[in-house]
Amino acid sequence: MTETTTTEPWLDSNQKPYIQIENVTKKFGDFTAIDNLSLDIYKNEFFSLLGPSGCGKTTLLRMLAGFERFTEGRVLVDGEDITEIPPHLRPINMMFQSYALFPHMTVEKNIAFGLKQDKMPENLINQRVEEMLELVELTDFAKRKPSQLSGGQSQRVALARSLAKQPKLLLLDEPLGALDKRLREQTQFELMDIQEKLEVTFVIVTHDQEEAMTVSSRIGVMDSGKLIQVATPTQIYEAPINREVADFIGDVNIFKGVYKGQDEKGTQLLSEDSKSIIYATQKVDVPVGNRIWFALRPEKLEITKKLPEVDCNILKGKIEDIGYGGSFSTYHVKLENGRQLTAIRANRERTAEHHLTWGDEVYLHWAPHSAVVLLS
Amino acid sequence: MKKFGNFNIVALVVGFSFLYIPIILLILFSFNESRLVTVWGGFSTKWYVELMQNQGIKDAAWVTIKVAFISSTVATALGTIAGLVMTRFGNFRGRTLFSGMIYAPMVMPEVIIGLSILLMFVTLAIDRGMLTVTLAHITFSMCYVAVIIQSRMSSYDDSITEAALDLGCTPFHTFRLITLPIIMPAVVSGWLLSFTLSLDDLVIASFASGPGATTLPMKIYSMVRLGVTPEINAVSTILVGLVTLGVITASIIGRRQKNTN
């Protein structure tokens, strides 16, 4: 995987990383929340920390904000070591998951709070507050108290408040977690627009992989206090580094088996499911006989009733379940050995003309270049 | 259902009568024309007028109010700090012991508290008077404030404090500008509670007080020993009124606070 990541522009050696997290460890008693983690984030990036709950992503964010002390390691922001700087002196602001608006202050006072702490002149504060209110489209709500706002409005006040001081780095802890699906999707795009407009570096923590894929320039997938893979959303999805990442990001069909060597069609895997050889174009460098895996996204599995006219990667099965999702349908296909695979097909025709139904005998096949070879 | 309803009503009436008939009688007889406490002689407010001319009672009332004011103010400050510390520090070793020690004065027999305070003052050779009563009242009312603050803080979102720090506010200013205003209703109701506690305390005051500092409850108690007079009823009625006012205000503030959350 290293060959592909070096071609990314932000790993251009002329570019200096803006946030440098160096060998950071955080222990709570015997429990290691962050385990010797290093990460470089570049200016104006929209970086997502993605992982299951308890993976340490929020701890890492709170360490950047200054709320958790470092057990080991250090963090540089724009070349300055901030490890020992208390939270109120860091050039970093955070947007909290609970929004943490000050309930006894109006919206404009909330936004002005950070600026007042900096002893900014009154007229400049008012000007900035107005800009911020315009940015999040809440000008009419300036005099309201937080208790009089909806969830979406509170979320925007929290965003405006954390951006008002023009931080070098904005940390967002599950910023859209409390919003309903529709509002969340809309807000994702707003967030991206604001980030582009203000040119602030964003680090966002989320457990929602779709959200991470939509908004991020790069994603860091975390588990058990470690970064498993740091890459662009496309790479994370199309070229996961191992089964864990493949499984965590989106749906995936994993074929387990034994490496049988290479031929003109690609890497050969003796599948445990079909007892036959299946192919992936991607080459591997392991001894023949090693255990390897193929990962295949459901939308890359073709599902047909007729025997497809290809020379490899054909599996036979029976449709067990159909999930109709409007724009696409999900098919659960049971292979002869009882293994169930998932295939997704876009519904280009009207459903009435669809000819696949429960219990149909079908063929699944895929192009060898669609499968990813995983070594662990 | 109807039968059950009747039973409830009866239970309610009996229960409340049990609680309030003595107090209602006391209030009623404070407006009695007759000097005899148990014989109704018509409505009159003359005992209240007489009360105003009784220098002894007025002195005692003044002492009581001063003691209550100072002790509740100090107790609120200390209790607030204790309550905050208990919630802030999370689960440290010995937490249960500490919180138990804060609650202990609430269940400890007053006689024991009074006695131990008396012994301490004697040992330290502090002359008993206003100062000692005030100190004693601070000691026992502090824990009530601590409990109120602690229960308020249990529903307080810590990220609000963190947000203030994050926006460049120093820890001290964060307390002054953010935490304190938010928990202010709890602080006020804590103050009112300790004020009323101090106002009607007899046992501890009797132990801790000296010749110069007779509180109103002590004065009433000593007057009753010479026989109950309508004057005592009148002063007690005023006390009941004050305490009721305090408790009602405290609960209104408490409810308003709940609504804003």
Side-chain angles (χ1 to χ4, degrees):
Chain A
M1 278 309 107
T2 42
E3 297 99 275
T4 50
T5 46
T6 44
T7 61
E8 296 303 330
W10 39 72
L11 290 186
D12 178 352
S13 57
N14 296 325
Q15 291 236 16
K16 218 178 140 276
Y18 194 57
I19 316 291
Q20 292 162 280
I21 301 170
E22 295 178 353
N23 305 98
V24 165
T25 296
K26 174 72 189 177
K27 288 187 173 140
F28 294 106
D30 293 335
F31 174 70
T32 308
I34 304 289
D35 191 0
N36 194 21
L37 183 147
S38 295
L39 173 65
D40 285 342
I41 298 168
Y42 291 80
K43 207 172 163 83
N44 299 343
E45 259 205 84
F46 201 134
F47 193 95
S48 293
L49 287 168
L50 180 64
S53 55
C55 71
K57 55 191 194 300
T58 300
T59 306
L60 184 62
L61 200 74
R62 290 174 57 81
M63 287 168 87
L64 291 174
F67 299 129
E68 302 287 353
R69 294 188 66 86
F70 290 61
T71 309
E72 272 163 52
R74 60 174 197 162
V75 172
L76 305 177
V77 174
D78 203 5
E80 184 197 2
D81 187 344
I82 60 152
T83 316
E84 293 301 323
I85 297 178
H88 64 276
L89 299 176
R90 292 193 182 191
I92 295 174
N93 285 136
M94 177 154 165
M95 188 185 147
F96 291 82
Q97 185 175 11
S98 64
Y99 308 144
L101 299 178
F102 306 132
H104 58 302
M105 293 182 188
T106 58
V107 167
E108 57 180 3
K109 291 242 169 69
N110 262 284
I111 298 173
F113 186 81
L115 304 170
K116 277 200 186 127
Q117 304 313 310
D118 285 356
K119 309 267 186 299
M120 193 190 244
E122 193 79 20
N123 56 331
L124 285 181
I125 291 182
N126 293 338
Q127 196 186 325
R128 179 75 61 78
V129 169
E130 215 149 285
E131 280 168 26
M132 284 297 142
L133 284 170
E134 248 164 64
L135 183 74
V136 297
E137 292 163 25
L138 281 176
T139 312
D140 296 342
F141 295 85
K143 303 281 182 215
R144 294 241 188 137
K145 286 275 183 76
S147 57
Q148 298 164 304
L149 299 176
S150 71
Q153 290 163 344
S154 301
Q155 189 266 351
R156 272 141 63 196
V157 176
L159 182 66
R161 187 180 68 177
S162 56
L163 281 169
K165 289 183 77 173
Q166 296 174 320
K168 289 187 170 172
L169 172 64
L170 182 70
L171 308 168
L172 303 101
D173 185 8
E174 304 267 4
L176 312 176
L179 305 180
D180 63 61
K181 196 169 188 293
R182 215 195 169 88
L183 194 56
R184 194 162 64 220
E185 282 165 5
Q186 183 193 332
T187 314
Q188 284 169 4
F189 286 98
E190 285 174 12
L191 216 52
M192 286 153 73
D193 286 346
I194 287 172
Q195 195 258 347
E196 260 169 55
K197 207 189 272 178
L198 298 185
E199 300 193 330
V200 175
T201 310
F202 276 31
V203 173
I204 176 176
V205 153
T206 180
H207 66 271
D208 182 337
Q209 35 121 344
E210 272 176 51
E211 182 174 302
M213 306 249 268
T214 309
V215 299
S216 328
S217 59
R218 282 192 302 162
I219 297 175
V221 181
M222 280 185 80
D223 193 34
S224 314
K226 287 189 159 98
L227 276 170
I228 309 174
Q229 187 173 9
V230 178
T232 61
T234 324
Q235 283 176 323
I236 294 264
Y237 187 75
E238 301 292 359
I241 199 167
N242 59 21
R243 280 177 295 155
E244 210 179 342
V245 175
D247 205 28
F248 187 69
I249 315 289
D251 278 333
V252 71
N253 297 300
I254 303 261
F255 295 97
K256 181 156 72 166
V258 175
Y259 177 51
K260 285 288 175 191
Q262 318 265 347
D263 67 10
E264 72 282 356
K265 282 182 233 153
T267 300
Q268 298 174 306
L269 173 102
L270 178 60
S271 165
E272 280 185 9
D273 296 316
S274 61
K275 308 284 179 230
S276 62
I277 297 285
I278 53 175
Y279 290 91
T281 311
Q282 190 190 337
K283 295 208 169 18
V284 287
D285 189 21
V286 291
V288 170
N290 262 26
R291 178 169 282 277
I292 59 170
W293 294 266
F294 282 2
L296 199 62
R297 296 291 180 192
E299 71 276 11
K300 296 184 173 70
L301 263 179
E302 294 277 346
I303 180 166
T304 53
K305 260 183 144 174
K306 275 196 303 190
L307 186 67
E309 288 167 4
V310 290
D311 57 354
C312 65
N313 295 343
I314 301 170
L315 299 171
K316 205 172 161 220
K318 205 165 141 186
I319 295 180
E320 277 279 300
D321 263 317
I322 304 174
Y324 179 64
S327 55
F328 61 88
S329 288
T330 308
Y331 299 90
H332 286 169
V333 178
K334 203 172 214 168
L335 300 183
E336 275 153 351
N337 74 333
R339 169 79 197 280
Q340 188 176 279
L341 297 180
T342 308
I344 290 177
R345 190 161 87 161
N347 291 328
R348 296 213 194 109
E349 309 141 53
R350 302 281 299 275
T351 307
E353 291 152 39
H354 255 251
H355 46 265
L356 290 176
T357 180
W358 287 270
D360 277 0
E361 298 269 342
V362 289
Y363 294 96
L364 295 169
H365 73 99
W366 69 92
H369 61 80
S370 299
V372 183
V373 186
L374 303 174
L375 302 179
S376 61
Chain B
M1 276 315 274
K2 186 129 204 281
K3 200 176 153 203
F4 195 69
N6 280 341
F7 173 76
N8 275 356
I9 290 166
V10 171
L12 213 64
V13 170
V14 170
F16 273 100
S17 313
F18 189 77
L19 284 173
Y20 287 102
I21 280 182
I23 295 172
I24 291 167
L25 281 178
L26 176 135
I27 294 170
L28 219 58
F29 279 104
S30 73
F31 295 104
N32 192 358
E33 172 74 45
S34 160
R35 171 156 279 280
L36 294 166
V37 191
T38 47
V39 181
W40 183 252
F43 181 85
S44 154
T45 53
K46 73 173 182 189
W47 301 114
Y48 288 87
V49 178
E50 208 151 296
L51 196 64
M52 288 304 128
Q53 284 147 4
N54 186 330
Q55 195 55 43
I57 286 183
K58 277 203 292 192
D59 285 347
W62 182 230
V63 168
T64 308
I65 286 169
K66 272 197 288 190
V67 167
F69 189 84
I70 298 168
S71 72
S72 58
T73 307
V74 178
T76 303
L78 293 177
T80 303
I81 293 168
L84 282 174
V85 167
M86 290 312 291
T87 39
R88 275 287 165 78
F89 281 80
N91 269 325
F92 58 91
R93 187 187 289 264
R95 188 204 149 91
T96 321
L97 181 69
F98 269 98
S99 64
M101 278 163 71
I102 288 181
Y103 296 142
M106 289 171 77
V107 289
M108 194 96 76
E110 283 190 316
V111 180
I112 308 290
I113 298 178
L115 191 63
S116 54
I117 286 172
L118 172 67
L119 286 175
M120 187 189 76
F121 289 140
V122 171
T123 317
L124 297 176
I126 299 172
D127 283 337
R128 278 171 292 141
M130 271 265 296
L131 175 72
T132 51
V133 186
T134 311
L135 286 176
H137 280 184
I138 293 169
T139 314
F140 83 84
S141 47
M142 191 192 113
C143 63
Y144 290 89
V145 180
V147 169
I148 291 175
I149 298 296
Q150 209 177 338
S151 84
R152 171 63 186 93
M153 288 306 286
S154 66
S155 65
Y156 178 87
D157 180 6
D158 282 332
S159 35
I160 290 179
T161 310
E162 287 177 347
L165 290 172
D166 186 65
L167 291 165
C169 198
T170 61
F172 175 73
H173 280 110
T174 300
F175 178 74
R176 198 173 57 86
L177 297 172
I178 304 295
T179 314
L180 194 58
I182 293 173
I183 64 165
M184 203 49 172
V187 174
V188 172
S189 61
W191 188 90
L192 281 167
L193 186 63
S194 37
F195 187 85
T196 48
L197 282 171
S198 167
L199 211 60
D200 60 15
D201 165 68
L202 170 66
V203 179
I204 291 171
S206 310
F207 278 102
S209 171
T214 308
T215 64
L216 199 52
M218 287 167 72
K219 181 76 182 169
I220 293 169
Y221 187 68
S222 67
M223 281 164 75
V224 168
R225 273 191 286 190
L226 304 173
V228 182
T229 64
E231 227 175 335
I232 291 174
N233 285 352
V235 72
S236 305
T237 303
I238 293 173
L239 258 183
V240 168
L242 269 178
V243 171
T244 314
L245 199 70
V247 171
I248 289 175
T249 318
S251 74
I252 286 174
I253 291 171
R255 187 167 306 166
R256 241 186 36 199
Q257 174 193 329
K258 224 174 257 165
N259 289 344
T260 51
N261 271 345

